[in-house]
Amino acid sequence: MEEEVKRGRGRPKAWDDKGAQNTIKSLDRALEVLVQLGEMQGSTLSEIAGALGQSPATVYRVLTTFQGRGFADFDPQSQVWSIGPAAFLTGSMFLRRTSLVERARPIMRDLMEATGETANLGIERDGQVLFLGQVETHATIRAFFPPGTASAMHSSGIGKALLSRMDDKRQRAVLAAGKLEQFTPHTLTDPEAMIADLHTTKARGYAFDGEERNIGMRCIAAPVYNVFGEAVAGISVSGPTSRITDDRIAALAEDVMEAAARLTRAIGGNNRPAS
């Protein structure tokens, strides 16, 4: 019973059977048309059908079906078919999954091993930091931000790293949208002091959270950039002040910035961020 339940959650009993009876031939042929359409990009019906060795009537039915779903576009003047926006959106969903969370995992693991501290990955979501992943240190005392945890940007290393790459107008808009709550005596709650700290962060390339969210905990973070040089995520290490001491900050920051640069390259980002 337990075995059947496990299979039912994600795959049928015949999952390992790759025989023809477990494929939908018409769907398979339709996907061949979609792939060919993407490769040829801007072709007539006869050209697509000829490349596939299928009848124009069959290919036309497939293309019009894709057109109805936004996966294909047709220009009636030139009689040319092209890949549609829905194909891009679907592919983008895959890229977001693989390019950030999955590709970050080995980099975060290396960062944790190199520093001995917990490595974190986060993005900005609705004016807060949303943590997407974490690789915990082997040490007994550690920071813990499970995936899905949200935190205030102004008191977070990743939050400040992302804020530092926003233009002044957006920085102020994000900071004004939420109260700069004081979590500890070290939390920056004055907007001008916060802006000054962000300018410093941008100039040196990394953000520093010095017990601004939790007493006894420090965090060092750096931004991760997309292909346009925009900061889309942040990677960090966090740990107790007893281990992240003043004399270790510079070395840890180098490790964090290198990890952020690796992740930027891994997702095809631009290592020369927009100013």
Side-chain angles (χ1 to χ4, degrees):
M1 178 64 72
E2 181 181 357
E3 181 66 21
E4 291 179 0
V5 171
K6 286 183 178 179
R7 277 198 299 260
R9 291 180 64 187
R11 60 189 188 186
K13 185 176 181 179
W15 170 262
D16 293 322
D17 183 358
K18 306 300 182 184
Q21 72 273 15
N22 281 329
T23 63
I24 303 173
K25 292 183 179 179
S26 59
L27 177 58
D28 189 57
R29 285 196 297 268
L31 290 174
E32 285 183 357
V33 173
L34 184 63
V35 171
Q36 189 67 41
L37 182 63
E39 290 178 350
M40 297 181 75
Q41 193 55 284
S43 303
T44 64
L45 173 62
S46 59
E47 288 171 340
I48 298 169
L52 291 168
Q54 298 186 26
S55 73
T58 298
V59 174
Y60 178 74
R61 288 195 296 271
V62 172
L63 289 172
T64 54
T65 301
F66 282 140
Q67 184 183 23
R69 291 284 186 172
F71 282 85
D73 277 340
F74 178 65
D75 183 343
Q77 290 187 334
S78 64
Q79 295 290 297
V80 163
W81 290 88
S82 302
I83 203 77
F88 170 76
L89 293 173
T90 301
S92 296
M93 293 174 190
F94 171 78
L95 285 174
R96 284 198 296 271
R97 178 177 66 86
T98 58
S99 293
L100 193 58
V101 177
E102 289 189 4
R103 295 195 180 191
R105 191 72 184 174
I107 295 171
M108 293 166 64
R109 189 177 300 112
D110 289 346
L111 180 60
M112 184 278 290
E113 293 291 351
T115 63
E117 303 299 341
T118 295
N120 312 286
L121 176 72
I123 61 173
E124 184 267 328
R125 180 65 53 86
D126 298 327
Q128 291 188 302
V129 176
L130 178 66
F131 288 93
L132 301 180
Q134 182 179 70
V135 176
E136 292 184 70
T137 177
H138 304 303
T140 304
I141 303 174
R142 69 191 80 177
F144 184 58
F145 304 103
T149 299
S151 182
M153 293 192 75
H154 73 287
S155 60
S156 158
I158 289 178
K160 293 203 292 182
L162 294 174
L163 280 167
S164 74
R165 298 308 313 183
M166 297 178 186
D167 59 43
D168 186 67
K169 183 178 179 180
R170 190 177 175 210
Q171 278 179 356
R172 292 182 181 277
V174 171
L175 294 175
K179 179 184 176 184
L180 299 184
E181 184 177 352
Q182 184 160 12
F183 297 103
T184 77
H186 305 287
T187 309
L188 296 175
T189 58
D190 177 67
E192 296 308 316
M194 187 75 236
I195 294 294
D197 183 78
L198 295 177
H199 288 166
T200 300
T201 295
K202 182 178 180 179
R204 70 189 173 198
Y206 69 90
F208 180 63
D209 160 19
E211 302 181 85
E212 293 162 44
R213 184 63 178 84
N214 296 289
I215 290 293
M217 300 299 294
R218 283 177 160 179
C219 176
I220 299 168
V224 176
Y225 302 99
N226 66 12
V227 67
F228 304 107
E230 301 164 336
V232 293
I235 196 165
S236 72
V237 292
S238 52
T241 54
S242 59
R243 291 202 303 268
I244 302 184
T245 53
D246 290 346
D247 61 336
R248 288 192 71 204
I249 291 174
L252 290 173
E254 287 295 327
D255 289 332
V256 172
M257 289 189 290
E258 174 55 29
R262 281 181 60 195
L263 184 52
T264 294
R265 293 192 296 270
I267 64 172
N270 186 351
N271 279 314
R272 296 182 298 279
S275 58

